[in-house]
């Protein structure tokens, strides 16, 4: 039980470091650590499929894509201007309002039942695959079209226009 | 392994909601305080991930695997979003030599 609280503390700690790190490369590396703690959360909930997908897709693919783009762009240290402290203060107030709303709504519920896994093979690949390919076959195929169109769009956007150059 | 996870999981649902909303709020604050477009994208990823974690927690809580399937779709969507978004950022950098979002204020008002 205390494992959850330790990992939750690490998640919050690293996610705060993500938004406060001055160097964007450090910020991406902290984001990798944050997603690693999320993977541990999935393992604690016995959602093994999501843990593996989170590990491979987020930490392996998406964040490497971020890092690659950042190194391609080659930012200088001075090219990151900071916002004024007034704007930062307003931003923290705005984000804090959301948090206060959620916490107040949680306080309104007095009861809080524990999360207990009744079916141990709920998050296993076999169970999820059966659901995914029976009930959600159409959304699955549509998401493949979405990925194809995103790939075409990314290539189209990132290539130089031969007419203008 | 099963007894291990079963022992670990006597965590109240409210704590999961609290953790995920704290991380979501951190993502919102990150979008608002940073001016680097890539860091803003990373904050958006943070928000998506906190929602994923909460969906999984509710899925385990209800004993319904549909929530985890939905998380899978969100991950596919996030991959597509990141690919297109980073392509747009590269294009912006090529045109303006900067990824500061204050350069891109033409659509502001």
């Amino acid at each position: 039980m205390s494992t959850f609280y330790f990992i939750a503390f690490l998640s919050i700690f690293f996610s705060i470091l993500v938004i406060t790190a001055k160097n964007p490369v450090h910020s991406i590396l902290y984001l990798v650590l944050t997603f690693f703690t999320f993977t541990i959360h999935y393992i604690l909930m016995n959602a093994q499929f999501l843990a593996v997908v989170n590990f491979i897709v987020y930490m392996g693919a998406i964040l490497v894509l971020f890092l690659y783009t950042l190194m391609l762009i080659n930012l200088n240290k001075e090219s990151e201007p900071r916002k004024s402290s007034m704007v930062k203060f307003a931003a923290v107030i705005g984000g804090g309002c959301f948090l206060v709303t959620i916490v107040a709504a949680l306080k309104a519920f007095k009861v809080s039942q524990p999360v207990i896994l009744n079916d141990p093979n709920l998050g296993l690949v076999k169970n999820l695959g059966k659901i995914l390919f029976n009930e959600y076959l159409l959304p699955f195929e549509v998401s493949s079209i979405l990925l194809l169109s995103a790939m075409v769009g990314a290539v189209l956007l990132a290539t130089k226009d031969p007419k203008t150059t | 392994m099963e007894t291990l996870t079963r022992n670990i999981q006597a965590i109240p649902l409210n704590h999961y909601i609290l953790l995920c909303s704290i991380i979501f709020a951190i993502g919102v604050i990150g979008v608002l305080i940073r001016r680097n477009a890539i860091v803003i994208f990373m904050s958006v990823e943070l928000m998506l991930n906190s929602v994923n974690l909460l969906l999984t927690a509710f899925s385990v809580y209800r004993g319904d695997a549909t929530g985890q399937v939905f998380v899978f779709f969100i991950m596919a969507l996030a991959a597509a979003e990141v690919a297109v978004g980073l392509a747009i950022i590269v294009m912006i950098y090529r045109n303006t030599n900067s990824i500061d979002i204050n350069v891109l204020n033409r659509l502001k008002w």
Side-chain angles (χ1 to χ4, degrees), chain A residues 130-141:
Chain A
K130 274 182 184 159
I131 291 177
L132 189 61
F133 289 107
N134 282 324
E135 298 171 38
Y136 296 95
L137 189 59
L138 182 64
F140 183 74
E141 299 294 338

Side-chain angles (χ1 to χ4, degrees), chain A residues 38-94:
Chain A
F38 274 70
T39 305
I40 299 174
H41 279 303
Y42 290 138
I43 290 172
L44 286 183
M45 283 188 280
N46 208 15
Q48 298 178 10
F49 173 71
L50 285 182
V52 171
V53 167
N54 195 50
F55 200 85
I56 295 174
V57 173
Y58 266 105
M59 290 170 62
I62 292 182
L63 289 177
V64 169
L65 196 64
F66 270 111
L67 207 55
Y68 188 78
T69 311
L70 198 58
M71 297 205 170
L72 196 71
I73 283 176
N74 189 18
L75 285 176
N76 303 322
K77 278 271 168 39
E78 68 272 12
S79 65
E80 160 94 27
R82 312 290 291 184
K83 278 192 176 171
S84 64
S85 56
M86 178 77 188
V87 174
K88 274 184 188 174
F89 185 67
V92 173
I93 292 288

Side-chain angles (χ1 to χ4, degrees), chain B residues 57-97:
Chain B
F58 270 107
S59 153
V60 171
Y61 175 69
R62 303 281 303 171
D64 188 357
T66 309
Q68 304 196 13
V69 174
F70 198 69
V71 170
F72 177 69
F73 285 129
I74 292 178
M75 282 181 181
L77 188 106
E81 173 236 334
V82 164
V84 175
L86 286 178
I88 290 174
I89 288 176
V90 168
M91 197 182 66
I92 286 170
Y93 180 73
R94 199 180 285 141
N95 287 336
T96 65
N97 269 326

